[in-house]
mmCIF file of all heavy atoms in Angstrom:
data_model
loop_
_atom_site.group_PDB
_atom_site.id
_atom_site.type_symbol
_atom_site.label_atom_id
_atom_site.label_comp_id
_atom_site.label_asym_id
_atom_site.label_seq_id
_atom_site.Cartn_x
_atom_site.Cartn_y
_atom_site.Cartn_z
ATOM 1 N N TRP A 1 -62.711 196.639 -167.381
ATOM 2 C CA TRP A 1 -61.704 197.026 -168.373
ATOM 3 C C TRP A 1 -61.658 196.018 -169.518
ATOM 4 O O TRP A 1 -61.487 196.395 -170.688
ATOM 5 C CB TRP A 1 -60.323 197.137 -167.723
ATOM 6 C CG TRP A 1 -60.068 198.445 -167.043
ATOM 7 C CD1 TRP A 1 -59.860 198.668 -165.710
ATOM 8 C CD2 TRP A 1 -59.972 199.730 -167.673
ATOM 9 N NE1 TRP A 1 -59.655 199.991 -165.470
ATOM 10 C CE2 TRP A 1 -59.713 200.674 -166.656
ATOM 11 C CE3 TRP A 1 -60.081 200.170 -168.995
ATOM 12 C CZ2 TRP A 1 -59.561 202.035 -166.925
ATOM 13 C CZ3 TRP A 1 -59.927 201.530 -169.270
ATOM 14 C CH2 TRP A 1 -59.671 202.443 -168.243
ATOM 15 N N ALA A 2 -61.811 194.736 -169.213
ATOM 16 C CA ALA A 2 -61.810 193.719 -170.262
ATOM 17 C C ALA A 2 -62.998 193.915 -171.208
ATOM 18 O O ALA A 2 -62.860 193.796 -172.438
ATOM 19 C CB ALA A 2 -61.841 192.323 -169.645
ATOM 20 N N GLU A 3 -64.170 194.218 -170.631
ATOM 21 C CA GLU A 3 -65.356 194.462 -171.449
ATOM 22 C C GLU A 3 -65.171 195.720 -172.291
ATOM 23 O O GLU A 3 -65.512 195.739 -173.481
ATOM 24 C CB GLU A 3 -66.582 194.603 -170.545
ATOM 25 C CG GLU A 3 -67.862 195.022 -171.253
ATOM 26 C CD GLU A 3 -68.404 193.972 -172.205
ATOM 27 O OE1 GLU A 3 -67.949 192.805 -172.123
ATOM 28 O OE2 GLU A 3 -69.263 194.322 -173.036
ATOM 29 N N PHE A 4 -64.617 196.763 -171.696
ATOM 30 C CA PHE A 4 -64.369 197.996 -172.427
ATOM 31 C C PHE A 4 -63.400 197.755 -173.581
ATOM 32 O O PHE A 4 -63.606 198.226 -174.706
ATOM 33 C CB PHE A 4 -63.802 199.050 -171.480
ATOM 34 C CG PHE A 4 -63.384 200.323 -172.161
ATOM 35 C CD1 PHE A 4 -64.309 201.307 -172.451
ATOM 36 C CD2 PHE A 4 -62.061 200.522 -172.514
ATOM 37 C CE1 PHE A 4 -63.921 202.475 -173.093
ATOM 38 C CE2 PHE A 4 -61.672 201.686 -173.153
ATOM 39 C CZ PHE A 4 -62.598 202.670 -173.443
ATOM 40 N N GLN A 5 -62.336 197.018 -173.316
ATOM 41 C CA GLN A 5 -61.350 196.743 -174.363
ATOM 42 C C GLN A 5 -61.958 195.951 -175.510
ATOM 43 O O GLN A 5 -61.670 196.212 -176.685
ATOM 44 C CB GLN A 5 -60.161 195.980 -173.780
ATOM 45 C CG GLN A 5 -59.057 195.710 -174.801
ATOM 46 C CD GLN A 5 -57.860 195.025 -174.184
ATOM 47 O OE1 GLN A 5 -57.516 195.260 -173.024
ATOM 48 N NE2 GLN A 5 -57.199 194.165 -174.956
ATOM 49 N N SER A 6 -62.833 194.997 -175.181
ATOM 50 C CA SER A 6 -63.498 194.206 -176.214
ATOM 51 C C SER A 6 -64.362 195.096 -177.107
ATOM 52 O O SER A 6 -64.348 194.975 -178.342
ATOM 53 C CB SER A 6 -64.338 193.109 -175.562
ATOM 54 O OG SER A 6 -65.078 192.397 -176.521
ATOM 55 N N ARG A 7 -65.117 196.010 -176.486
ATOM 56 C CA ARG A 7 -65.970 196.910 -177.263
ATOM 57 C C ARG A 7 -65.124 197.856 -178.105
ATOM 58 O O ARG A 7 -65.451 198.149 -179.260
ATOM 59 C CB ARG A 7 -66.885 197.707 -176.346
ATOM 60 C CG ARG A 7 -67.887 196.858 -175.597
ATOM 61 C CD ARG A 7 -68.800 197.735 -174.768
ATOM 62 N NE ARG A 7 -69.630 196.930 -173.876
ATOM 63 C CZ ARG A 7 -70.484 197.435 -173.024
ATOM 64 N NH1 ARG A 7 -70.631 198.741 -172.927
ATOM 65 N NH2 ARG A 7 -71.212 196.651 -172.238
ATOM 66 N N LEU A 8 -64.030 198.349 -177.517
ATOM 67 C CA LEU A 8 -63.161 199.259 -178.247
ATOM 68 C C LEU A 8 -62.562 198.568 -179.469
ATOM 69 O O LEU A 8 -62.454 199.169 -180.547
ATOM 70 C CB LEU A 8 -62.049 199.772 -177.327
ATOM 71 C CG LEU A 8 -61.045 200.738 -177.956
ATOM 72 C CD1 LEU A 8 -61.759 201.974 -178.499
ATOM 73 C CD2 LEU A 8 -59.979 201.135 -176.936
ATOM 74 N N SER A 9 -62.193 197.314 -179.327
ATOM 75 C CA SER A 9 -61.649 196.556 -180.462
ATOM 76 C C SER A 9 -62.665 196.481 -181.600
ATOM 77 O O SER A 9 -62.312 196.635 -182.778
ATOM 78 C CB SER A 9 -61.249 195.153 -180.003
ATOM 79 O OG SER A 9 -60.728 194.399 -181.075
ATOM 80 N N GLU A 10 -63.929 196.259 -181.246
ATOM 81 C CA GLU A 10 -64.971 196.209 -182.272
ATOM 82 C C GLU A 10 -65.110 197.556 -182.974
ATOM 83 O O GLU A 10 -65.268 197.615 -184.203
ATOM 84 C CB GLU A 10 -66.301 195.810 -181.639
ATOM 85 C CG GLU A 10 -66.346 194.389 -181.098
ATOM 86 C CD GLU A 10 -67.685 194.057 -180.473
ATOM 87 O OE1 GLU A 10 -68.636 194.848 -180.670
ATOM 88 O OE2 GLU A 10 -67.778 193.036 -179.781
ATOM 89 N N VAL A 11 -65.057 198.642 -182.197
ATOM 90 C CA VAL A 11 -65.164 199.977 -182.787
ATOM 91 C C VAL A 11 -63.988 200.239 -183.721
ATOM 92 O O VAL A 11 -64.151 200.768 -184.828
ATOM 93 C CB VAL A 11 -65.229 201.051 -181.682
ATOM 94 C CG1 VAL A 11 -65.126 202.449 -182.268
ATOM 95 C CG2 VAL A 11 -66.518 200.917 -180.884
ATOM 96 N N ILE A 12 -62.774 199.874 -183.284
ATOM 97 C CA ILE A 12 -61.578 200.101 -184.101
ATOM 98 C C ILE A 12 -61.683 199.367 -185.434
ATOM 99 O O ILE A 12 -61.265 199.877 -186.477
ATOM 100 C CB ILE A 12 -60.318 199.657 -183.324
ATOM 101 C CG1 ILE A 12 -60.073 200.607 -182.142
ATOM 102 C CG2 ILE A 12 -59.092 199.629 -184.237
ATOM 103 C CD1 ILE A 12 -58.991 200.135 -181.186
ATOM 104 N N SER A 13 -62.266 198.190 -185.401
ATOM 105 C CA SER A 13 -62.385 197.408 -186.637
ATOM 106 C C SER A 13 -63.299 198.075 -187.654
ATOM 107 O O SER A 13 -63.296 197.697 -188.834
ATOM 108 C CB SER A 13 -62.894 196.002 -186.317
ATOM 109 O OG SER A 13 -64.254 196.025 -185.913
ATOM 110 N N LEU A 14 -64.080 199.086 -187.225
ATOM 111 C CA LEU A 14 -65.029 199.760 -188.115
ATOM 112 C C LEU A 14 -64.640 201.203 -188.425
ATOM 113 O O LEU A 14 -65.321 201.872 -189.208
ATOM 114 C CB LEU A 14 -66.424 199.744 -187.486
ATOM 115 C CG LEU A 14 -67.025 198.358 -187.205
ATOM 116 C CD1 LEU A 14 -68.319 198.507 -186.429
ATOM 117 C CD2 LEU A 14 -67.245 197.586 -188.496
ATOM 118 N N ILE A 15 -63.564 201.709 -187.819
ATOM 119 C CA ILE A 15 -63.172 203.098 -188.037
ATOM 120 C C ILE A 15 -62.743 203.305 -189.487
ATOM 121 O O ILE A 15 -62.039 202.478 -190.076
ATOM 122 C CB ILE A 15 -62.032 203.488 -187.078
ATOM 123 C CG1 ILE A 15 -62.560 203.631 -185.645
ATOM 124 C CG2 ILE A 15 -61.362 204.796 -187.502
ATOM 125 C CD1 ILE A 15 -61.494 203.973 -184.626
ATOM 126 N N ASP A 16 -63.183 204.428 -190.079
ATOM 127 C CA ASP A 16 -62.708 204.794 -191.413
ATOM 128 C C ASP A 16 -62.298 206.261 -191.396
ATOM 129 O O ASP A 16 -62.181 206.876 -190.327
ATOM 130 C CB ASP A 16 -63.779 204.518 -192.474
ATOM 131 C CG ASP A 16 -65.091 205.241 -192.187
ATOM 132 O OD1 ASP A 16 -65.044 206.303 -191.531
ATOM 133 O OD2 ASP A 16 -66.150 204.751 -192.614
ATOM 134 N N ASP A 17 -62.067 206.834 -192.582
ATOM 135 C CA ASP A 17 -61.543 208.193 -192.633
ATOM 136 C C ASP A 17 -62.616 209.267 -192.476
ATOM 137 O O ASP A 17 -62.334 210.461 -192.609
ATOM 138 C CB ASP A 17 -60.780 208.418 -193.945
ATOM 139 C CG ASP A 17 -61.663 208.226 -195.178
ATOM 140 O OD1 ASP A 17 -62.864 207.912 -194.999
ATOM 141 O OD2 ASP A 17 -61.152 208.374 -196.306
ATOM 142 N N THR A 18 -63.850 208.863 -192.153
ATOM 143 C CA THR A 18 -64.914 209.854 -192.028
ATOM 144 C C THR A 18 -64.953 210.518 -190.659
ATOM 145 O O THR A 18 -65.533 211.588 -190.508
ATOM 146 C CB THR A 18 -66.289 209.218 -192.300
ATOM 147 O OG1 THR A 18 -66.527 208.175 -191.340
ATOM 148 C CG2 THR A 18 -66.337 208.625 -193.701
ATOM 149 N N ALA A 19 -64.353 209.900 -189.659
ATOM 150 C CA ALA A 19 -64.406 210.484 -188.312
ATOM 151 C C ALA A 19 -63.324 209.871 -187.432
ATOM 152 O O ALA A 19 -62.948 208.712 -187.604
ATOM 153 C CB ALA A 19 -65.772 210.256 -187.678
ATOM 154 N N ASP A 20 -62.832 210.677 -186.507
ATOM 155 C CA ASP A 20 -61.881 210.198 -185.502
ATOM 156 C C ASP A 20 -62.641 209.878 -184.218
ATOM 157 O O ASP A 20 -63.761 210.337 -184.018
ATOM 158 C CB ASP A 20 -60.821 211.261 -185.204
ATOM 159 C CG ASP A 20 -60.001 211.619 -186.441
ATOM 160 O OD1 ASP A 20 -59.978 210.805 -187.378
ATOM 161 O OD2 ASP A 20 -59.411 212.712 -186.450
ATOM 162 N N LEU A 21 -62.005 209.112 -183.353
ATOM 163 C CA LEU A 21 -62.579 208.809 -182.040
ATOM 164 C C LEU A 21 -61.592 209.248 -180.976
ATOM 165 O O LEU A 21 -60.458 208.767 -180.945
ATOM 166 C CB LEU A 21 -62.868 207.315 -181.900
ATOM 167 C CG LEU A 21 -63.267 206.848 -180.493
ATOM 168 C CD1 LEU A 21 -64.595 207.471 -180.084
ATOM 169 C CD2 LEU A 21 -63.355 205.336 -180.423
ATOM 170 N N THR A 22 -62.012 210.172 -180.125
ATOM 171 C CA THR A 22 -61.173 210.614 -179.017
ATOM 172 C C THR A 22 -61.775 210.121 -177.708
ATOM 173 O O THR A 22 -62.941 210.368 -177.436
ATOM 174 C CB THR A 22 -61.050 212.152 -178.983
ATOM 175 O OG1 THR A 22 -60.452 212.604 -180.195
ATOM 176 C CG2 THR A 22 -60.183 212.600 -177.807
ATOM 177 N N ILE A 23 -60.963 209.430 -176.932
ATOM 178 C CA ILE A 23 -61.385 208.947 -175.619
ATOM 179 C C ILE A 23 -60.691 209.814 -174.583
ATOM 180 O O ILE A 23 -59.475 209.709 -174.373
ATOM 181 C CB ILE A 23 -61.021 207.470 -175.416
ATOM 182 C CG1 ILE A 23 -61.659 206.617 -176.511
ATOM 183 C CG2 ILE A 23 -61.474 206.992 -174.036
ATOM 184 C CD1 ILE A 23 -61.219 205.170 -176.485
ATOM 185 N N GLY A 24 -61.449 210.698 -173.966
ATOM 186 C CA GLY A 24 -60.877 211.606 -172.996
ATOM 187 C C GLY A 24 -60.990 211.080 -171.581
ATOM 188 O O GLY A 24 -61.611 210.044 -171.321
ATOM 189 N N THR A 25 -60.380 211.793 -170.668
ATOM 190 C CA THR A 25 -60.453 211.459 -169.249
ATOM 191 C C THR A 25 -60.930 212.687 -168.498
ATOM 192 O O THR A 25 -60.738 213.825 -168.950
ATOM 193 C CB THR A 25 -59.092 211.018 -168.687
ATOM 194 O OG1 THR A 25 -58.136 212.086 -168.847
ATOM 195 C CG2 THR A 25 -58.574 209.791 -169.430
ATOM 196 N N GLU A 26 -61.567 212.445 -167.362
ATOM 197 C CA GLU A 26 -62.042 213.543 -166.532
ATOM 198 C C GLU A 26 -61.307 213.512 -165.208
ATOM 199 O O GLU A 26 -61.203 212.468 -164.572
ATOM 200 C CB GLU A 26 -63.547 213.435 -166.320
ATOM 201 C CG GLU A 26 -64.329 213.590 -167.627
ATOM 202 C CD GLU A 26 -65.826 213.630 -167.402
ATOM 203 O OE1 GLU A 26 -66.252 213.286 -166.293
ATOM 204 O OE2 GLU A 26 -66.553 213.990 -168.338
ATOM 205 N N SER A 27 -60.803 214.661 -164.810
ATOM 206 C CA SER A 27 -60.024 214.723 -163.582
ATOM 207 C C SER A 27 -60.158 216.096 -162.962
ATOM 208 O O SER A 27 -60.483 217.076 -163.642
ATOM 209 C CB SER A 27 -58.544 214.418 -163.871
ATOM 210 O OG SER A 27 -57.761 214.573 -162.707
ATOM 211 N N GLY A 28 -59.876 216.160 -161.664
ATOM 212 C CA GLY A 28 -59.950 217.428 -160.961
ATOM 213 C C GLY A 28 -58.689 218.248 -161.060
ATOM 214 O O GLY A 28 -58.603 219.318 -160.470
ATOM 215 N N GLY A 29 -57.687 217.781 -161.807
ATOM 216 C CA GLY A 29 -56.436 218.508 -161.918
ATOM 217 C C GLY A 29 -56.535 219.719 -162.824
ATOM 218 O O GLY A 29 -57.550 219.978 -163.462
ATOM 219 N N ASN A 30 -55.435 220.466 -162.889
ATOM 220 C CA ASN A 30 -55.393 221.672 -163.703
ATOM 221 C C ASN A 30 -54.765 221.388 -165.059
ATOM 222 O O ASN A 30 -53.815 220.630 -165.172
ATOM 223 C CB ASN A 30 -54.593 222.768 -162.986
ATOM 224 C CG ASN A 30 -55.254 223.216 -161.696
ATOM 225 O OD1 ASN A 30 -56.464 223.388 -161.653
ATOM 226 N ND2 ASN A 30 -54.465 223.406 -160.651
ATOM 227 N N GLY A 31 -55.298 222.033 -166.083
ATOM 228 C CA GLY A 31 -54.728 221.915 -167.413
ATOM 229 C C GLY A 31 -55.330 220.778 -168.208
ATOM 230 O O GLY A 31 -56.138 219.996 -167.709
ATOM 231 N N PRO A 32 -54.938 220.687 -169.495
ATOM 232 C CA PRO A 32 -55.461 219.637 -170.374
ATOM 233 C C PRO A 32 -55.233 218.246 -169.801
ATOM 234 O O PRO A 32 -54.164 217.946 -169.263
ATOM 235 C CB PRO A 32 -54.674 219.854 -171.673
ATOM 236 C CG PRO A 32 -54.268 221.294 -171.634
ATOM 237 C CD PRO A 32 -54.027 221.605 -170.192
ATOM 238 N N THR A 33 -56.245 217.397 -169.912
ATOM 239 C CA THR A 33 -56.190 216.048 -169.345
ATOM 240 C C THR A 33 -55.774 215.026 -170.401
ATOM 241 O O THR A 33 -55.825 215.299 -171.603
ATOM 242 C CB THR A 33 -57.560 215.655 -168.775
ATOM 243 O OG1 THR A 33 -58.533 215.733 -169.824
ATOM 244 C CG2 THR A 33 -57.960 216.583 -167.642
ATOM 245 N N PRO A 34 -55.368 213.828 -169.974
ATOM 246 C CA PRO A 34 -54.935 212.795 -170.928
ATOM 247 C C PRO A 34 -56.064 212.356 -171.857
ATOM 248 O O PRO A 34 -57.248 212.435 -171.524
ATOM 249 C CB PRO A 34 -54.506 211.643 -170.012
ATOM 250 C CG PRO A 34 -54.160 212.283 -168.715
ATOM 251 C CD PRO A 34 -55.127 213.414 -168.576
ATOM 252 N N PHE A 35 -55.672 211.860 -173.012
ATOM 253 C CA PHE A 35 -56.632 211.332 -173.976
ATOM 254 C C PHE A 35 -55.935 210.337 -174.884
ATOM 255 O O PHE A 35 -54.707 210.296 -174.980
ATOM 256 C CB PHE A 35 -57.243 212.457 -174.827
ATOM 257 C CG PHE A 35 -56.232 213.190 -175.681
ATOM 258 C CD1 PHE A 35 -55.849 212.690 -176.925
ATOM 259 C CD2 PHE A 35 -55.663 214.373 -175.239
ATOM 260 C CE1 PHE A 35 -54.908 213.360 -177.706
ATOM 261 C CE2 PHE A 35 -54.717 215.043 -176.009
ATOM 262 C CZ PHE A 35 -54.347 214.532 -177.253
ATOM 263 N N VAL A 36 -56.741 209.530 -175.553
ATOM 264 C CA VAL A 36 -56.277 208.656 -176.621
ATOM 265 C C VAL A 36 -57.134 208.961 -177.837
ATOM 266 O O VAL A 36 -58.357 209.046 -177.735
ATOM 267 C CB VAL A 36 -56.393 207.170 -176.232
ATOM 268 C CG1 VAL A 36 -56.210 206.275 -177.451
ATOM 269 C CG2 VAL A 36 -55.365 206.810 -175.163
ATOM 270 N N LYS A 37 -56.498 209.139 -178.997
ATOM 271 C CA LYS A 37 -57.217 209.486 -180.225
ATOM 272 C C LYS A 37 -56.961 208.431 -181.292
ATOM 273 O O LYS A 37 -55.820 208.036 -181.527
ATOM 274 C CB LYS A 37 -56.753 210.856 -180.727
ATOM 275 C CG LYS A 37 -57.433 211.309 -182.005
ATOM 276 C CD LYS A 37 -56.915 212.684 -182.425
ATOM 277 C CE LYS A 37 -57.557 213.142 -183.731
ATOM 278 N NZ LYS A 37 -57.053 214.469 -184.155
ATOM 279 N N LEU A 38 -58.029 207.972 -181.923
ATOM 280 C CA LEU A 38 -57.952 206.947 -182.957
ATOM 281 C C LEU A 38 -58.419 207.527 -184.287
ATOM 282 O O LEU A 38 -59.418 208.238 -184.345
ATOM 283 C CB LEU A 38 -58.818 205.751 -182.582
ATOM 284 C CG LEU A 38 -58.354 204.969 -181.348
ATOM 285 C CD1 LEU A 38 -59.530 204.368 -180.614
ATOM 286 C CD2 LEU A 38 -57.362 203.891 -181.747
ATOM 287 N N SER A 39 -57.695 207.204 -185.349
ATOM 288 C CA SER A 39 -58.065 207.675 -186.676
ATOM 289 C C SER A 39 -57.604 206.660 -187.711
ATOM 290 O O SER A 39 -56.845 205.729 -187.405
ATOM 291 C CB SER A 39 -57.448 209.044 -186.955
ATOM 292 O OG SER A 39 -56.025 208.959 -186.917
ATOM 293 N N SER A 40 -58.075 206.855 -188.934
ATOM 294 C CA SER A 40 -57.679 205.976 -190.034
ATOM 295 C C SER A 40 -57.066 206.835 -191.132
ATOM 296 O O SER A 40 -57.782 207.385 -191.978
ATOM 297 C CB SER A 40 -58.890 205.208 -190.564
ATOM 298 O OG SER A 40 -58.525 204.376 -191.653
ATOM 299 N N PRO A 41 -55.740 207.000 -191.139
ATOM 300 C CA PRO A 41 -55.100 207.869 -192.130
ATOM 301 C C PRO A 41 -55.184 207.330 -193.558
ATOM 302 O O PRO A 41 -55.092 208.095 -194.507
ATOM 303 C CB PRO A 41 -53.651 207.943 -191.650
ATOM 304 C CG PRO A 41 -53.452 206.683 -190.872
ATOM 305 C CD PRO A 41 -54.770 206.397 -190.222
ATOM 306 N N GLN A 42 -55.354 206.025 -193.684
ATOM 307 C CA GLN A 42 -55.527 205.410 -194.988
ATOM 308 C C GLN A 42 -56.305 204.112 -194.798
ATOM 309 O O GLN A 42 -56.301 203.533 -193.706
ATOM 310 C CB GLN A 42 -54.180 205.136 -195.659
ATOM 311 C CG GLN A 42 -53.233 204.296 -194.819
ATOM 312 C CD GLN A 42 -51.886 204.111 -195.479
ATOM 313 O OE1 GLN A 42 -51.815 203.641 -196.614
ATOM 314 N NE2 GLN A 42 -50.825 204.503 -194.781
ATOM 315 N N PRO A 43 -56.990 203.660 -195.831
ATOM 316 C CA PRO A 43 -57.798 202.449 -195.682
ATOM 317 C C PRO A 43 -56.984 201.273 -195.137
ATOM 318 O O PRO A 43 -55.880 201.000 -195.589
ATOM 319 C CB PRO A 43 -58.275 202.176 -197.112
ATOM 320 C CG PRO A 43 -58.273 203.515 -197.762
ATOM 321 C CD PRO A 43 -57.097 204.247 -197.177
ATOM 322 N N GLY A 44 -57.555 200.623 -194.114
ATOM 323 C CA GLY A 44 -56.916 199.441 -193.551
ATOM 324 C C GLY A 44 -55.850 199.717 -192.519
ATOM 325 O O GLY A 44 -55.267 198.783 -191.967
ATOM 326 N N MET A 45 -55.579 200.996 -192.221
ATOM 327 C CA MET A 45 -54.570 201.357 -191.223
ATOM 328 C C MET A 45 -55.220 202.200 -190.123
ATOM 329 O O MET A 45 -56.088 203.031 -190.391
ATOM 330 C CB MET A 45 -53.429 202.148 -191.851
ATOM 331 C CG MET A 45 -52.541 201.338 -192.782
ATOM 332 S SD MET A 45 -51.645 200.006 -191.918
ATOM 333 C CE MET A 45 -50.566 200.970 -190.831
ATOM 334 N N ILE A 46 -54.794 201.967 -188.903
ATOM 335 C CA ILE A 46 -55.288 202.727 -187.758
ATOM 336 C C ILE A 46 -54.122 203.425 -187.085
ATOM 337 O O ILE A 46 -53.082 202.808 -186.822
ATOM 338 C CB ILE A 46 -56.006 201.823 -186.738
ATOM 339 C CG1 ILE A 46 -57.242 201.191 -187.363
ATOM 340 C CG2 ILE A 46 -56.392 202.633 -185.489
ATOM 341 C CD1 ILE A 46 -58.327 202.168 -187.774
ATOM 342 N N ARG A 47 -54.315 204.694 -186.837
ATOM 343 C CA ARG A 47 -53.324 205.473 -186.086
ATOM 344 C C ARG A 47 -53.918 205.775 -184.711
ATOM 345 O O ARG A 47 -55.060 206.230 -184.603
ATOM 346 C CB ARG A 47 -52.996 206.771 -186.810
ATOM 347 C CG ARG A 47 -51.919 207.618 -186.105
ATOM 348 C CD ARG A 47 -51.687 208.905 -186.874
ATOM 349 N NE ARG A 47 -50.647 209.714 -186.252
ATOM 350 C CZ ARG A 47 -49.355 209.662 -186.543
ATOM 351 N NH1 ARG A 47 -48.937 208.811 -187.481
ATOM 352 N NH2 ARG A 47 -48.480 210.443 -185.933
#
């Protein structure tokens, strides 16, 4: 998890308004699964 978080931080530092990043989860349950979505609504800001 520490290694993953480090890599994710690097990716976030490069995100711009050209594309979003969705990190999904896989599970055997029913219905839509959890996710985290990253985007840059304006230069220098991350949502």
Side-chain angles (χ1 to χ4, degrees):
W1 277 116
E3 173 67 14
F4 174 83
Q5 183 177 326
S6 175
R7 295 183 189 178
L8 180 59
S9 180
E10 293 180 12
V11 171
I12 291 171
S13 70
L14 300 173
I15 288 178
D16 57 27
D17 60 0
T18 61
D20 299 339
L21 171 65
T22 299
I23 302 173
T25 60
E26 296 186 346
S27 176
N30 296 318
T33 58
F35 63 84
V36 167
K37 180 180 178 181
L38 294 149
S39 61
S40 179
Q42 55 183 305
M45 290 296 295
I46 297 296
R47 182 182 182 91

